[in-house]
Amino acid sequence: REAGAERHFISTLDDIAWLFNLRGADVNYNPVFIAHALIEADSATLFVAPGKIDDALAAQLAADGVRVADYAEAKPALSALPGGALLIDPRRVTLGLRQAVADGVKVIEAINPSTLMKSRKSAAETEHVRRAMEQDGAALAEFFAWFEANVNRARITELTIDEQITAARARRPGFVSPSFGTIAGFNANGALPHYHATPEAHSEIQGDGLLLIDSGGQYLGGTTDITRVVAVGAPSAAQKRDFTLVLKGTMALSMAHFPRGTLSPMLDALARAPLWQHDIDFGHGTGHGVGYFLNVHEGPQSISRAVPEPHMAMQEGMITSIEPGVYRSGQWGVRIENLVLNVASDKNQFGDFLKFETLTLCPIDRRCIDHSLLTRPEIDWLNGYHAEVRARLLPLVDGAARDWLLANTEAL
């Protein structure tokens, strides 16, 4: 109605999954299903392949005014529209489907309303995400306890990391699958931001250096994405310096307050500033949106060097990553990533302000920190973060994982 359209056609799978509150398994790591949807004022049609929706679910959808049709009927349905106005997002439908729209139909082009709606998680969704983060953090505590007990004692490769971290998550309630292929890069491999070990090409983790692990899980209550860099043996002074500068960037953005509606790319420089001070930069975005048991990369917000657009405005309820890095080709890489939630800060004569609540719960390796580079507010932030990690994860772990958690959340 706000767009002046009687109908809305959608092809983006995460929008469809969110709107109909359904999930599937057609795409690796993303719990979506291949479909199109045509939404009208009082009804909707879901176009999916035959056999994907059983009779019981079809009946439940029908009770909600949703008709299930064959996936192949989507294009003919657009050609048969009786007139009126149709809302489509030109960036999120194919040219062929756009050209199939009947000549007598007025096409209104705008971003899918659902893209903005699903980015603003409800209070219930965010509470589920917090619980998923606790389970994810507990799984990581179990993994890192195993890793510390075995590194430089038993043979561990980058492939072993993926196996063990996925197995730890799989033991947690609500776990469905990884949210993307685990990135585990030791020393020089960590300098490749999108490196993936394969059976044909991977490194053994032994000696001294830095191990970068970027991983995540899909849980019924939310989607996680975390990067941690841990010491193997004794990290060098140069490695500690890089680690600490990246940590300063993560903390600088994590502590930010900003007016509601700030365009997300404007925040990018906050995470880069501590690195820029030392003539260092990184070649990827600082943060991406994350779905609710959906795609680990979700718009419209993007903390990056993207050209700002109106739909990138930061709003309460959005979940975004913060992940600055340093990559020294052929030597090592550092990236520290947490997911954060936009929450209300203050509303006063200067405006309506937001701040970040850090959702990710996992210790940051204090062995890699050059304390001389940290300010008092940064030390306070880190100690406060570790205190919360300890308090929320301790009831969920025991044995070696509990011992590891206690040791790694001590205050600086």
Side-chain angles (χ1 to χ4, degrees):
R1 282 196 298 268
E2 289 177 8
E6 290 87 23
R7 299 177 185 87
H8 179 32
F9 184 79
I10 308 177
S11 290
T12 36
L13 306 188
D14 52 339
D15 283 290
I16 292 169
W18 183 84
L19 272 170
F20 292 90
N21 198 27
L22 299 172
R23 299 295 187 268
D26 285 347
V27 180
N28 286 343
Y29 307 120
N30 300 324
V32 296
F33 55 98
I34 295 172
H36 300 288
L38 181 63
I39 299 172
E40 303 181 64
D42 300 308
S43 63
T45 303
L46 186 61
F47 301 95
V48 296
K52 280 198 176 291
I53 292 180
D54 61 27
D55 291 342
L57 179 55
Q60 190 175 351
L61 289 168
D64 289 331
V66 179
R67 181 177 76 92
V68 176
D70 192 309
Y71 182 80
E73 292 181 21
K75 191 172 183 178
L78 289 173
S79 301
L81 291 176
L86 174 70
L87 173 66
I88 63 167
D89 187 336
R91 297 183 182 184
R92 294 172 175 85
V93 296
T94 65
L95 178 61
L97 287 169
R98 170 64 183 86
Q99 291 174 333
V101 177
D103 291 338
V105 175
K106 176 185 177 183
V107 174
I108 297 171
E109 295 186 347
I111 190 171
N112 291 333
S114 51
T115 300
L116 295 166
M117 293 166 69
K118 71 181 171 61
S119 72
R120 303 166 189 171
K121 279 61 176 178
S122 68
E125 287 173 327
T126 54
E127 193 54 36
H128 284 302
V129 170
R130 291 185 185 102
R131 301 290 82 78
M133 291 290 177
E134 290 170 353
Q135 295 297 336
D136 202 59
L140 290 167
E142 291 179 356
F143 162 77
F144 280 117
W146 166 86
F147 179 76
E148 295 294 340
N150 288 277
V151 67
N152 282 331
R153 296 180 182 87
R155 186 175 186 272
I156 300 176
T157 73
E158 293 164 340
L159 296 175
T160 316
I161 298 299
D162 183 23
E163 295 165 1
Q164 291 288 333
I165 211 165
T166 301
R169 285 191 167 106
R171 293 191 288 270
R172 288 287 148 181
F175 177 78
V176 175
S177 76
S179 55
F180 57 95
T182 300
I183 298 170
F186 183 52
N187 282 343
N189 291 339
L192 305 169
H194 298 105
Y195 169 79
H196 281 281
T198 66
E200 297 74 29
H202 61 269
S203 292
E204 186 171 343
I205 300 164
Q206 60 179 347
D208 297 320
L210 297 178
L211 172 63
L212 183 154
I213 306 173
D214 188 351
S215 68
Q218 293 285 9
Y219 296 82
L220 294 177
T223 302
T224 72
D225 181 4
I226 174 176
T227 307
R228 287 294 183 266
V229 170
V230 294
V232 176
S236 69
Q239 289 171 335
K240 288 184 176 182
R241 176 177 177 272
D242 281 352
F243 183 97
T244 309
L245 293 177
V246 171
L247 176 59
K248 286 170 73 73
T250 301
M251 292 192 291
L253 185 49
S254 299
M255 290 188 279
H257 291 220
F258 47 92
R260 185 188 300 267
T262 295
L263 298 180
S264 52
M266 295 176 64
L267 301 174
D268 182 70
L270 296 177
R272 295 181 192 269
L275 297 163
W276 287 348
Q277 289 289 333
H278 295 265
D279 301 318
I280 299 171
D281 200 7
F282 54 95
H284 56 73
T286 295
H288 56 83
V290 178
Y292 176 73
F293 184 33
L294 273 175
N295 297 352
V296 76
H297 281 218
E298 173 185 283
Q301 74 274 29
S302 173
I303 302 176
S304 66
R305 285 167 166 160
V307 177
E309 299 185 56
H311 58 257
M312 294 178 174
M314 293 295 260
Q315 301 293 342
E316 193 169 350
M318 288 180 166
I319 295 175
T320 315
S321 68
I322 295 177
E323 48 182 309
V326 169
Y327 308 97
R328 296 195 182 274
S329 181
Q331 299 181 72
W332 61 78
V334 177
R335 184 167 64 252
I336 300 172
E337 176 187 15
N338 287 333
L339 299 189
V340 295
L341 172 70
N342 288 1
V343 297
S345 176
D346 189 22
K347 191 172 185 178
N348 56 41
Q349 61 179 320
F350 302 106
D352 186 0
F353 284 79
L354 299 175
K355 61 183 178 180
F356 290 127
E357 172 192 335
T358 298
L359 296 169
T360 302
L361 298 169
C362 182
I364 293 166
D365 195 341
R366 295 165 305 142
R367 298 170 298 178
C368 297
I369 296 175
D370 180 343
H371 294 204
S372 69
L373 295 174
L374 294 183
T375 65
R376 186 71 246 177
E378 290 169 338
I379 293 172
D380 290 343
W381 184 93
L382 189 61
N383 286 342
Y385 174 67
H386 278 156
E388 180 168 4
V389 170
R390 175 185 286 198
R392 291 174 62 184
L393 298 189
L394 211 53
L396 301 176
V397 295
D398 54 25
R402 179 185 176 86
D403 294 341
W404 179 88
L405 179 67
L406 289 171
N408 284 273
T409 53
E410 290 288 342
L412 288 182

